Amino acid sequence: MTASSAAAPALDAPRPVRPGDELDADRLAPFLAGAVAGWDDVRAGDLAVRQFGDGFSNLTYLVEAPGGRELVLRRPPHGARGGNAHDVAREYRLLAALRPVYARAPAPLALCEDDAVLGAPFYAMERVRGVVLRGRPGEPVPPPAALAALADRWVDELAALHALDWRALGAAGVGRPEGYVGRQVAGWTRRWQAARTAPVPAVDAAAAWLAAEPPAEPADAAARAAVLHNDYKYDNFVLDPDALAAGRPTVRAVLDWEMATVGDPLMDLGAALAYWLEPGDPPALRALGLGLTAAPGSPRRAELVAAYASTTSRDVSAAAWYYVFGVFRLAVIAQQIYARHLAGHAPDPRFAGLGAVVAALGTVAERTMRTGRVGA
């Protein structure tokens, strides 16, 4: 694929705002004028707002103003019940701590915690232009060599993040390394029980197995701890378009830090593997837009685990347990969104199929518990 190829993936672009997700420009403009450098002359009529509509969690918008000014705005979805995943103030503060030591974290610009402005807290950050591979049906797929190289970047970026000194970030209050694994299993089990709308025995079984068979926590849990992204997947990468077209993908930014924390880095690996589909995985999971990793050239999950171990020198002998946790956690996230959809709080039609996705994730967890392998 060349830079001029008609099949090259396009730069990531927003779409018109979905009905019900509109922003109040009359309230937003005064805030931006007072809080964002270089936006002091902006008025409501100057703002053009569009939406990045592929995410399943926090709402993300592109806000443009005359003179080529642009920023990205993030706010919780309507009907969200709180928690770290929708705590945009927490995400903003983590980005502020992370940006000086990890250049691929977008620069945060301003935080608003006053619900009177847009009905919920929100923050603004820089826009990083580039290609985001979302795996939509009909979108061009990079050739096998480019996908193989991109998988190498996947491992490299995850290893680089986990190599950061989390204490030096000033983010020590973001997470507690000791007991992290147990708290995560218990917390996600409670979320599953609260969001469940129909029996899914395989997901129930995964929750019970995770609680009964946890990996031993090392005595030096704090020393082993790392900054975790917790939503690490291709559609959170912004790629350099020219480098991708040349078959040498490079990452300009890593997006969506809403669930980032400090803890066991293998939990981050397991969560990331849950997003990595293989050809033998249930077809329903492609509804999540993750099928790109099953295309020719992409390695299998077991190869990613081996590459991560080689790069970081970490013990990955319990990779299957961490993968089951990642799959279970993804099932809970999908179920939470599906429950909001059934309650009328999340009308996006994509969410209607998430019940089948939850069942398919239960099947994957069940298979992994039986085989002890992270591969399909």
Side-chain angles (χ1 to χ4, degrees):
M1 181 170 61
T2 66
S4 62
S5 171
L11 290 177
D12 191 42
R15 301 172 178 178
V17 176
R18 286 190 299 262
D21 286 347
E22 296 87 357
L23 301 180
D24 187 337
D26 289 331
R27 292 182 178 272
L28 176 60
F31 170 80
L32 296 179
V36 179
W39 287 60
D40 52 291
D41 63 339
V42 167
R43 302 294 179 264
D46 297 330
L47 299 183
V49 180
R50 290 177 288 163
Q51 187 172 21
F52 293 100
D54 291 87
F56 286 82
S57 188
N58 286 334
L59 304 179
T60 305
Y61 304 83
L62 177 66
V63 181
E64 298 172 293
R69 290 170 290 183
E70 58 183 10
L71 56 78
V72 170
L73 185 148
R74 281 169 64 77
R75 57 148 291 162
H78 305 286
R81 297 182 179 179
N84 285 351
H86 304 306
D87 188 345
V88 293
R90 177 183 180 277
E91 182 178 1
Y92 174 88
R93 295 183 179 109
L94 180 65
L95 279 177
L98 190 59
R99 171 70 178 187
V101 295
Y102 185 69
R104 282 164 294 289
L109 302 176
L111 170 67
C112 179
E113 297 184 86
D114 182 359
D115 289 4
V117 179
L118 293 182
F122 65 92
Y123 78 90
M125 65 179 177
E126 69 168 335
R127 185 196 185 183
V128 181
R129 289 178 170 265
V131 171
V132 176
L133 297 175
R134 300 192 184 278
R136 297 184 187 121
E139 286 189 340
V141 175
L147 285 180
L150 182 58
D152 290 340
R153 300 292 79 73
W154 186 98
V155 173
D156 292 344
E157 289 295 332
L158 190 62
L161 180 64
H162 292 171
L164 295 176
D165 180 356
W166 61 271
R167 293 183 179 87
L169 297 179
V174 172
R176 291 177 290 136
E178 293 82 1
Y180 177 78
V181 170
R183 289 196 307 275
Q184 288 295 300
V185 172
W188 285 103
T189 298
R190 288 193 299 271
R191 294 180 190 102
W192 166 247
Q193 293 167 346
R196 188 169 43 194
T197 54
V200 189
V203 178
D204 290 331
W209 183 82
L210 289 166
E213 305 286 343
E217 180 173 315
D220 60 344
R224 176 179 170 174
V227 177
L228 316 185
H229 184 277
N230 264 335
D231 198 23
Y232 190 80
K233 51 187 170 48
Y234 276 166
D235 66 2
N236 281 332
F237 282 5
V238 180
L239 304 174
D240 182 296
D242 294 332
L244 179 63
R248 299 186 299 273
T250 59
V251 180
R252 286 182 170 175
V254 179
L255 306 177
D256 290 3
W257 294 85
E258 59 208 49
M259 293 192 286
T261 189
V262 171
D264 183 344
L266 296 186
M267 295 288 271
D268 209 13
L269 176 64
L273 292 173
Y275 290 116
W276 194 280
L277 296 194
E278 297 182 357
D281 288 326
L285 298 186
R286 293 179 185 267
L288 294 173
L290 303 174
L292 187 64
T293 62
S298 292
R300 301 299 177 92
R301 288 187 290 266
E303 295 175 275
L304 293 175
V305 171
Y308 176 85
S310 176
T311 302
T312 64
S313 299
R314 296 185 187 275
D315 177 5
V316 297
S317 57
W321 187 94
Y322 288 101
Y323 174 56
V324 170
F325 171 78
V327 170
F328 170 66
R329 172 182 167 274
L330 184 55
V332 178
I333 293 170
Q335 179 59 40
Q336 288 176 317
I337 299 169
Y338 184 54
R340 291 208 313 270
H341 176 78
L342 293 179
H345 297 306
D348 190 321
R350 295 175 302 154
F351 300 159
L354 288 179
V357 169
V358 173
L361 289 165
T363 298
V364 172
E366 195 172 50
R367 179 185 66 201
T368 308
M369 290 186 292
R370 184 179 68 253
T371 65
R373 297 194 304 270
V374 300

